[in-house]
């Protein structure tokens, strides 16, 4: 079985979903003949036809609104927002409608859509192409916010998102699109949503991350191991609804927690996790909860993005500080 | 220099403000049963509407958006749509909802602060009231795209106000409907006022119907207080959409004889003379005068209709007021198809708190 990249795993999952369910439609800007600006939809229009894989006019609010209308009619739209930095015009539709249609109608109508959006920094892209704005939507009840951290996670979580009967915003970490390869079995098996994944077991501290920060956390854990520090790594995967039980169980074991995300620190999703640890896990903690995050600044243009983004070195430094608490 | 494109914008009117039939009126003008039915539906809407305002004034309903003076638009939309078409209204389309089979007590429940009001028992696919402006229009293109994808001869009919035509979602919906040749109709209830902002302050466009031109779809202006004209343009648009001929923008000219909502006081921003002038062409009086003149309607018919509508409305009000409040945990129960594990503890905590804590 060949090893594939994360973006190829997305493509594989989309093809599988189109194959298994006629209600699945893929659309967005440049997703057709061009196969998406990252090639996530490469070859899909050729294989499934323009009826099912279609370019839209250039309007993010319209893409989201149309997906809601299709979903309410029982289709399974999988729409692409070209970059998460361009998702803002769609927020009205996502927040005021996708998240509420089921609730507003007491389940008479529902909204089983997936909105995919490349997210995060680290690919030397122009302004607005490197944002981490997941918290804006993680805050919204009625939505699911999912972010995979590897090709296998991407395949299984995207299939789960498409089959889910409710709206899912699926952020894809652009830096991981082609960074790593692994074997992905195209077995149509979904991974569970609303579940954090323990990717590496450890005893001394817990690293909690999502998206590309999972990759940095795994690198950090490897290097910490060489320093005789055993780090557990949790991939949050579904940011909302948040599976705190897995995080609490891990911290009950390790006593220390460091949360890693690219988004700005203040009001980031790490703040919610830290507050929940203080609320529900205080007596497990041997040290303050640490956060390694982006700064409370505008995402810099790419000459400084390496300084801005959390990396293994910053995670290791934070981990070592946590270990100083006896 | 040469002319590369040329467009006309047509206005359709068959029954003028004085209830006189203009020439070449369609067969509907001679259809006593059909016109009487439209008239009954308009009066039914108006009596319900007035009762809803009265309930709000006496503290038994929340804020309500009345539709006084615009009843013909919604009544004709519901009359001409097929049952399996889908309606995506704004918050002012009481007439269309009632015509589509939504129960009066359901609308009262919604405006009375209870989500169950949008769980229409007899109207399962129409969209709920849309409070944000124009967002229902892009959703309607998705409904229309679903019909097209499944090769169903059905039409998505969205309704918005004149203010909504300034929104990006309005242009985006029209544009997509044109590009994809969707079975979509956008009816603009141009009631001249977006809360306190007059139609002229909203746009320099001579008509709102002409906004269809840039999107490459059909656009027409119609006297929105003339049910004969409304039914006529709706029939053309619905038939065209059903046959794969694409989308239509219908600008229906009317006037909001009431406040924007019960929380508004229109006397603050518009002259009484303008409202009085508009009252002269309102749709209920206009059609009643026509029915009278034809000898199809008399004072006894009028009284019987009003009594029947009042009895129906009173029954709905009774059922609405007798509906117990929802269980507190209901706020969790329709967020997702099934409650995610992370939300089970907070729901249980709310359930333990009980309804009077």
């Amino acid at each position: 079985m060949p090893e594939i990249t994360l973006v190829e795993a997305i493509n594989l999952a989309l093809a599988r979903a189109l194959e298994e369910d006629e209600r699945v439609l893929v659309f967005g800007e440049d997703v057709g003949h061009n196969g998406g600006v990252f090639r996530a939809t490469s070859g899909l229009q050729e294989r499934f036809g323009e009826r099912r894989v279609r370019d839209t006019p250039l309007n993010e609010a319209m893409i989201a609104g149309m997906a809601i209308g299709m979903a309410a009619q029982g289709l399974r739209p999988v729409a692409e927002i070209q970059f998460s930095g361009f998702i803002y015009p769609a927020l009205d539709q996502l927040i005021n409608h996708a998240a509420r249609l089921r609730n507003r109608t007491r389940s008479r109508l529902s909204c089983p859509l997936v909105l995919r959006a490349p997210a995060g920094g680290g690919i030397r892209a122009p302004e607005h192409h490197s944002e981490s704005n997941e918290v804006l939507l993680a805050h919204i009840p009625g939505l699911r916010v999912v972010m995979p951290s590897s090709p296998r996670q991407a395949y299984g979580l995207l299939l789960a998102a498409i089959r889910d009967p409710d709206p899912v915003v699926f952020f894809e970490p652009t830096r991981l699109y082609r960074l790593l390869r692994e074997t992905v079995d195209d077995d149509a098996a979904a991974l569970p949503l609303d579940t954090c994944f323990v990717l590496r077991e450890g005893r001394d501290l817990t690293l909690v991350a999502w998206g590309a920060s999972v990759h940095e956390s795994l690198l950090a854990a490897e290097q910490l191991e060489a320093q005789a520090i055993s780090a557990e790594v949790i991939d949050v995967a579904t940011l909302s609804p948040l599976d705190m039980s897995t995080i609490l169980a891990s911290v009950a074991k390790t006593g220390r927690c460091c949360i890693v995300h690219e988004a700005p620190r203040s009001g980031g999703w790490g703040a919610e996790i830290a507050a929940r640890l203080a609320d529900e896990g205080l007596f497990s903690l041997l040290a303050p909860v640490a956060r390694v995050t982006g700064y409370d600044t505008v995402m810099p243009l790419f000459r400084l993005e390496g300084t801005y983004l959390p990396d293994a070195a910053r995670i290791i430094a934070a981990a070592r500080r946590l270990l100083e608490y006896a | 220099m040469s002319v590369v494109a040329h467009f006309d914008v047509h206005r359709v009117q068959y029954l003028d403000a004085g209830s006189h039939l203009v020439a070449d009126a369609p067969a509907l003008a001679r259809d006593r049963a059909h016109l009487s039915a439209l008239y009954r539906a308009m009066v039914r809407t108006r009596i319900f509407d007035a009762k809803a305002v009265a309930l709000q004034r006496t503290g038994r309903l929340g804020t309500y958006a009345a539709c006084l003076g615009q009843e013909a638009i919604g009544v004709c939309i519901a009359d001409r749509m097929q049952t399996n078409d889908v309606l995506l209204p704004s918050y002012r389309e009481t007439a269309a909802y009632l015509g589509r089979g939504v129960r009066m007590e359901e609308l009262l429940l919604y405006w009375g602060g209870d989500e169950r009001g949008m769980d229409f028992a007899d109207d399962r696919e129409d969209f709920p009231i849309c409070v944000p402006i124009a967002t229902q229009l892009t959703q309607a293109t998705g409904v229309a795209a679903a019909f097209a994808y499944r090769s169903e001869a059905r039409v998505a009919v969205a309704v918005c106000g004149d203010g909504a035509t300034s929104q990006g979602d309005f242009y985006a919906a029209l544009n997509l409907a044109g590009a994809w040749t969707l079975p979509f109709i956008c009816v603009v209830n141009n009631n001249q006022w977006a809360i306190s902002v007059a139609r002229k302050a909203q746009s320099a466009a001579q008509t709102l119907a002409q906004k269809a031109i840039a999107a490459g779809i059909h656009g027409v202006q119609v006297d929105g207080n003339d049910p004969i004209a409304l039914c006529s343009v709706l029939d053309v648009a619905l038939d065209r959409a059903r046959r794969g001929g694409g989308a239509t923008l219908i600008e229906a000219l009317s006037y909001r004889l009431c406040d924007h909502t019960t929380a508004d006081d229109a006397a603050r921003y518009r002259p009484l003379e303008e409202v009085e002038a508009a009252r002269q062409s309102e749709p209920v009086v206009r059609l009643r005068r026509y029915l009278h003149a034809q000898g199809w309607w008399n004072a006894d018919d009028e009284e019987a209709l009003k009594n029947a509508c009042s009895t129906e409305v009173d029954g709905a009000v009774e059922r609405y007021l007798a509906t117990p409040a929802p269980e507190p945990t209901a706020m969790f129960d329709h967020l997702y198809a099934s409650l995610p594990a992370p939300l089970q503890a907070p729901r249980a905590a709310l359930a333990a708190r009980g309804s009077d804590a």
Side-chain angles (χ1 to χ4, degrees):
Chain A
M1 192 183 309
E3 296 195 325
I4 62 172
T5 61
L6 194 152
V7 72
E8 288 165 341
I10 296 287
N11 187 273
L12 204 59
L14 290 172
R16 171 62 59 182
L18 284 159
E19 183 73 47
E20 74 183 11
D21 188 347
E22 278 217 341
R23 297 172 304 170
V24 173
L25 303 178
V26 169
F27 58 91
E29 297 155 10
D30 306 295
V31 302
H33 181 68
N34 195 38
V37 294
F38 285 102
R39 309 291 175 257
T41 55
S42 184
L44 296 180
Q45 188 181 72
E46 206 172 12
R47 182 167 160 200
F48 296 98
E50 205 187 344
R51 274 182 76 239
R52 304 198 55 203
V53 181
R54 190 162 185 187
D55 289 323
T56 63
L58 204 164
N59 189 299
E60 287 79 11
M62 178 275 289
I63 289 170
M66 175 167 61
I68 291 168
M70 288 174 165
Q73 269 296 311
L75 297 180
R76 296 291 173 127
V78 184
E80 179 176 304
I81 299 291
Q82 204 158 73
F83 284 89
S84 67
F86 304 132
I87 205 171
Y88 306 113
L91 293 188
D92 190 8
Q93 290 288 348
L94 287 172
I95 296 171
N96 280 331
H97 297 291
R100 292 174 177 230
L101 191 59
R102 178 186 291 281
N103 186 66
R104 181 181 286 148
T105 61
R106 300 287 91 164
S107 298
R108 180 172 62 83
L109 297 176
S110 62
C111 200
L113 65 82
V114 175
L115 208 68
R116 298 176 39 248
I123 56 163
R124 299 175 62 80
E127 193 178 2
H128 306 295
H129 291 66
S130 302
E131 325 303 307
S132 290
N133 47 22
E134 67 274 7
V135 72
L136 298 180
L137 293 162
H139 184 65
I140 305 303
L143 295 179
R144 278 189 170 79
V145 177
V146 175
M147 194 158 184
S149 65
S150 68
R152 265 182 234 152
Q153 294 284 95
Y155 179 84
L157 289 172
L158 183 53
L159 278 180
I162 294 170
R163 292 172 192 163
D164 190 81
D166 292 303
V168 180
V169 181
F170 195 85
F171 287 116
E172 299 166 3
T174 54
R175 191 154 66 93
L176 300 190
Y177 264 153
R178 294 183 170 80
L179 189 69
L180 351 142
R181 290 175 176 275
E182 61 184 4
T183 57
V184 176
D185 192 4
D186 185 15
D187 57 359
L191 287 168
L193 300 175
D194 309 342
T195 302
C196 296
F197 296 84
V198 178
L199 297 187
R200 178 187 173 113
E201 300 211 358
R203 297 178 309 276
D204 300 325
L205 84 157
T206 303
L207 300 176
V208 176
W210 49 93
S213 295
V214 172
H215 173 67
E216 293 301 324
S217 297
L218 287 167
L219 289 177
E222 226 168 88
Q223 294 175 43
L224 285 166
E225 189 74 52
Q227 301 170 32
I229 297 172
S230 165
E232 184 142 304
V233 177
I234 293 180
D235 175 5
V236 174
T238 301
L239 278 75
S240 177
L242 177 63
D243 166 27
M244 266 313 285
S245 59
T246 300
I247 297 171
L248 285 164
S250 174
V251 175
K253 179 175 69 171
T254 63
R256 297 173 183 85
C257 184
C258 176
I259 304 155
V260 188
H261 62 66
E262 292 186 15
R265 169 171 306 219
S266 297
W269 206 232
E272 173 64 20
I273 295 170
R276 295 283 297 276
L277 282 169
D279 190 20
E280 299 161 45
L282 183 65
F283 300 111
S284 304
L285 289 169
L286 302 171
V289 175
R291 282 181 287 163
V292 176
T293 67
Y295 297 96
D296 284 345
T297 67
V298 172
M299 176 78 196
L301 295 183
F302 62 79
R303 288 178 77 175
L304 286 181
E305 71 175 343
T307 309
Y308 178 91
L309 296 171
D311 61 9
R314 281 171 65 194
I315 297 167
I316 290 165
R320 295 191 63 86
R321 281 196 297 277
L322 289 185
L323 267 294
E324 286 168 14
Y325 294 85
Chain B
M1 201 163 70
S2 59
V3 176
V4 294
H6 181 83
F7 305 98
D8 296 311
V9 180
H10 296 274
R11 178 185 297 175
V12 181
Q13 184 195 56
Y14 293 118
L15 190 65
D16 70 16
S19 304
H20 303 298
L21 213 53
V22 303
D24 74 343
L28 174 59
R30 295 177 298 281
D31 189 334
R32 174 181 185 169
H34 194 168
L35 286 181
S36 302
L38 294 175
Y39 179 72
R40 288 170 187 279
M42 284 198 272
V43 171
R44 178 173 178 253
T45 301
R46 184 164 289 189
I47 288 173
F48 172 83
D49 207 53
K51 175 59 89 173
V53 172
L55 288 171
Q56 190 280 332
R57 297 295 188 229
T58 51
R60 292 177 290 172
L61 197 73
T63 299
Y64 174 74
C67 64
L68 184 68
Q70 304 137 81
E71 295 89 346
I73 297 171
V75 161
C76 292
I77 288 170
D79 186 72
R80 302 323 299 154
M81 284 173 72
Q82 292 185 2
T83 305
N84 71 349
D85 293 335
V86 168
L87 174 74
L88 299 97
S90 70
Y91 43 77
R92 206 182 296 287
E93 301 313 322
T94 303
Y97 266 147
L98 292 178
R100 295 280 294 165
V102 174
R103 299 178 184 180
M104 290 177 176
E105 57 265 39
E106 292 172 337
L107 293 177
L108 293 173
L109 259 186
Y110 174 77
W111 293 107
D114 190 328
E115 287 87 349
R116 289 174 294 181
M118 289 291 111
D119 182 12
F120 309 142
D122 308 316
D123 181 19
R124 301 303 291 170
E125 288 184 78
D126 283 351
F127 268 49
I129 280 176
C130 183
V131 177
I133 304 302
T135 45
Q136 75 275 28
L137 305 180
T138 43
Q139 293 161 17
T141 63
V143 172
F147 295 157
Y149 175 67
R150 294 189 297 241
S151 305
E152 296 168 345
R154 304 167 68 185
V155 184
V157 180
V159 192
C160 66
D162 41 304
T165 67
S166 297
Q167 287 277 18
D169 273 83
F170 171 83
Y171 292 103
L174 264 51
N175 183 62
L176 177 72
W180 285 20
T181 321
L182 293 175
F184 165 68
I185 294 173
C186 174
V187 180
V188 179
N189 170 357
N190 178 0
N191 65 18
Q192 311 302 329
W193 289 90
I195 305 189
S196 67
V197 177
R199 159 65 184 84
K200 279 199 168 70
Q202 198 67 238
S203 172
Q206 191 182 345
T207 69
L208 299 179
Q210 73 199 54
K211 296 192 177 198
I213 294 167
I217 66 171
H218 300 274
V220 63
Q221 193 182 64
V222 62
D223 185 334
N225 293 339
D226 170 0
I228 300 170
L230 277 165
C231 287
S232 167
V233 299
L234 281 162
D235 278 346
V236 169
L238 284 161
D239 181 58
R240 179 163 53 218
R242 229 179 282 292
R243 287 186 293 103
T248 305
L249 172 65
I250 298 172
E251 177 190 8
L253 297 169
S254 187
Y255 192 89
R256 198 188 75 212
L257 291 174
C258 48
D259 296 329
H260 163 66
T261 66
T262 51
D264 176 45
D265 175 11
R268 289 169 56 84
Y269 51 78
R270 61 183 190 187
L272 274 178
E273 309 83 70
E274 181 187 299
V275 182
E276 280 315 305
R279 211 179 290 281
Q280 303 312 309
S281 58
E282 66 103 336
V284 172
V285 171
R286 189 188 302 198
L287 184 55
R288 184 167 63 227
R289 263 197 314 244
Y290 178 73
L291 294 176
H292 269 296
Q294 306 306 307
W296 295 344
W297 196 258
N298 60 37
D300 291 343
D301 296 327
E302 185 71 12
E303 198 184 331
L305 173 62
K306 283 185 171 159
N307 287 340
C309 291
S310 293
T311 303
E312 185 192 7
V313 170
D314 289 346
V317 171
E318 256 176 56
R319 288 189 292 278
Y320 154 62
L321 293 174
T323 306
E327 289 298 317
T329 46
M331 67 177 87
F332 281 95
D333 292 341
H334 300 279
L335 276 181
Y336 301 92
S338 55
L339 194 67
L343 289 173
Q344 280 163 15
R347 185 189 183 279
L350 175 62
R353 200 180 115 190
S355 56
D356 52 356

